[in-house]
Amino acid sequence: MDESEGGPVAEDVRRRIVSMLDAGALRPGDRLGSEREMAERFAVSRATLRSALVPLSRAGILERRGGRAGGTFIKTVLVERNVAELSGLPNRLKQGGHSTTRSRVLATALRGATATEAQRLGVKPDTELVVVQRLRYADGFPLSVDCAHLLAERVPDLLEQPLGGSIYDILAVRYNLAPASSVESIEVVSANPREAAWLEIPTRTPLLAMTRVTSDADGQPFEYSEDLFRADRVRLVAKTTMTAERETLGTDGRVELTVTA
């Protein structure tokens, strides 16, 4: 790419691209097109277009990809998430420098535990649970669909609390309940139509499905969660000790890799 930043016309193209980003007309991951397509779109020469894109590429706003499906794209900012981390998602996003975080409550319920939920939490089926399903955002874009199942006896009035922020913060302040350990499983699934609509992606797009059981300092499980993350927005990071990794064969025939984090 020509390293010249060009003159007034190139600057006008840059401002138009930035304005489209601010207005939401362009979003992370969007393809701007080939040089020819963009030159026609902005009614400028290809040389002027190249000059317009230089500062945006240097600033990390744009990225160029080769190949048949290549072109210039709005760079996608990945959210880094530690495997089996004990911090709530809002705190993790803030630590990662993401400018905005919010949650939209999709559904809540007070109901009995299913057989799977009861097994994960170490309780009897039909034990009363508080269930909160939320759509989570990072930098203004959908990131994940989270569904938390908590033992109702430990969070008796949780559904009366504001659920738009960190549930872990509410647990700590109101119920003196803090996560001390967690066990997490991760696999790749395809988005169904409802999940795809929530996350603003095509149906059957790959998602990272994470299930987690979180326990308190006494080793008692209090939360079982099922979370779906957009695979194009999340990078998983595992920090291991010198403890050897252990491979076993799961009941469904899949190889399970246990990592101490």
Side-chain angles (χ1 to χ4, degrees):
M1 181 181 289
D2 185 351
E3 289 301 311
S4 169
E5 297 187 9
V9 178
E11 177 62 25
D12 179 65
V13 173
R14 281 195 290 273
R15 291 185 179 184
R16 288 167 65 185
I17 292 175
V18 171
S19 294
M20 293 167 72
L21 280 166
D22 290 340
L26 290 175
R27 310 183 70 174
D30 283 353
R31 181 179 184 271
L32 290 179
S34 66
E35 283 189 359
R36 179 182 58 80
E37 292 168 338
M38 286 189 289
E40 293 177 356
R41 180 178 185 178
F42 294 106
V44 297
S45 69
R46 292 174 70 172
T48 297
L49 176 72
R50 285 194 293 269
S51 297
L53 300 183
V54 166
L56 299 179
S57 296
R58 289 175 180 166
I61 295 173
L62 302 181
E63 62 178 335
R64 293 171 63 83
R65 303 176 192 168
R68 304 180 85 182
T72 300
F73 293 78
I74 305 299
K75 190 170 184 179
T76 300
V77 179
L78 294 178
V79 174
E80 287 199 351
R81 184 186 184 282
N82 292 325
V83 177
E85 67 184 2
L86 298 177
S87 173
L89 183 60
N91 291 331
R92 163 57 56 189
L93 293 173
K94 290 176 183 177
Q95 292 168 9
H98 297 275
S99 58
T100 57
T101 63
R102 67 184 178 92
S103 302
R104 176 161 69 92
V105 177
L106 299 173
T108 60
L110 186 64
R111 61 165 175 78
T114 65
T116 297
E117 294 161 357
Q119 188 273 329
R120 296 297 178 89
L121 288 167
V123 296
K124 295 180 180 180
D126 293 326
T127 297
E128 194 168 62
L129 302 180
V130 173
V131 182
V132 180
Q133 185 178 46
R134 300 184 297 172
L135 179 60
R136 317 297 292 276
Y137 293 80
D139 302 317
F141 302 102
L143 176 67
S144 66
V145 177
D146 302 352
C147 190
H149 310 74
L150 300 112
L151 295 174
E153 65 179 5
R154 306 199 66 174
V155 291
D157 59 351
L158 179 62
L159 295 184
E160 299 173 18
Q161 309 307 314
L163 300 174
S166 170
I167 287 183
Y168 276 13
D169 286 350
I170 297 175
L171 298 183
V173 173
R174 187 166 186 83
Y175 307 105
N176 193 31
L177 187 57
S181 64
S182 67
V183 176
E184 193 167 81
S185 298
I186 305 166
E187 61 182 311
V188 177
V189 300
S190 298
N192 64 33
R194 183 172 59 172
E195 294 159 354
W198 284 333
L199 293 169
E200 300 179 16
I201 54 176
T203 300
R204 300 193 62 78
T205 295
L207 300 175
L208 292 177
M210 306 183 188
T211 59
R212 181 179 65 254
V213 176
T214 307
S215 302
D216 60 19
D218 295 325
Q220 297 298 312
F222 64 85
E223 178 203 28
Y224 168 60
S225 69
E226 299 172 317
D227 304 339
L228 294 171
F229 284 84
R230 283 182 51 164
D232 63 338
R233 299 294 314 281
V234 175
R235 176 187 292 116
L236 295 178
V237 179
K239 298 179 181 179
T240 62
T241 66
M242 294 303 292
T243 303
E245 298 173 346
R246 179 169 54 86
E247 289 187 1
T248 58
L249 192 64
T251 56
D252 58 359
R254 299 186 185 184
V255 174
E256 295 181 350
L257 177 63
T258 300
V259 178
T260 301

